[in-house]
């Protein structure tokens, strides 16, 4: 009976060690996920700043959109702004920042209409 007890103790010790290792791995994954989420949020904020700039350029170029060249420039800037805004929505959704990322981002970053 003593041998069986020793074996059971050894199994219990191995299981406890495996369980502790699992906990350490979980903690590392949680830390990694936290860093990744932080990075996603940081990237979304950087993209927001770029989007604000390009929307401002749209507004600036709109007054010059009176000839073919001006309209082409405005149209190119507007297209870039629309793409950036979509990228921001995608990033926010990926970062889990909002369930209605599209509605929030579109309301916060209105893009001027076509000319």
């Amino acid at each position: 009976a003593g041998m069986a007890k020793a074996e059971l103790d050894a199994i219990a010790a191995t299981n406890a060690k495996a369980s502790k290792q699992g906990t350490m791995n979980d903690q590392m994954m949680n830390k990694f996920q936290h860093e990744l989420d932080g990075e996603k949020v940081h990237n979304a904020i950087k993209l927001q700043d770029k989007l604000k700039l390009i929307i401002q350029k749209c507004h600036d170029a709109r007054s010059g959109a009176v000839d073919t060249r001006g309209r082409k420039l405005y149209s190119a800037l507007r297209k870039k702004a629309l793409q950036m805004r979509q990228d921001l929505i995608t990033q926010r959704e990926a970062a889990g920042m909002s369930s209605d990322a599209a509605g929030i981002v579109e309301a916060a970053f209105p893009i001027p209409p076509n000319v």
Side-chain angles (χ1 to χ4, degrees):
M3 189 65 171
K5 169 100 172 80
E7 279 182 32
L8 287 174
D9 288 349
I11 290 168
T14 303
N15 289 345
K17 189 175 178 186
S19 169
K20 187 176 182 197
Q21 185 61 43
T23 306
M24 283 171 49
N25 288 344
D26 291 345
Q27 287 172 350
M28 274 176 47
M29 278 309 293
N30 289 343
K31 186 176 190 296
F32 175 71
Q33 188 61 50
H34 181 74
E35 287 173 10
L36 195 63
D37 290 346
E39 198 173 300
K40 285 178 186 171
V41 170
H42 176 73
N43 288 341
I45 291 168
K46 280 195 331 199
L47 190 55
Q48 269 181 218
D49 293 342
K50 289 179 183 175
L51 180 55
K52 282 179 193 168
L53 253 162
I54 197 101
I55 290 173
Q56 186 54 54
K57 286 181 180 180
C58 277
H59 286 292
D60 296 346
R62 192 158 185 222
S63 60
V66 289
D67 58 6
T68 305
R69 190 167 171 265
R71 278 193 292 274
K72 273 187 180 172
L73 174 66
Y74 175 77
S75 183
L77 285 168
R78 186 174 180 278
K79 188 176 176 184
K80 179 77 176 153
L82 287 166
Q83 182 57 57
M84 278 181 135
R85 185 170 73 179
Q86 188 54 52
D87 291 348
L88 180 61
I89 291 167
T90 303
Q91 253 184 16
R92 282 177 156 238
E93 287 171 345
M97 289 170 74
S98 169
S99 56
D100 181 30
I104 292 167
V105 170
E106 286 169 6
F109 299 97
I111 293 175
N114 251 325
V115 288

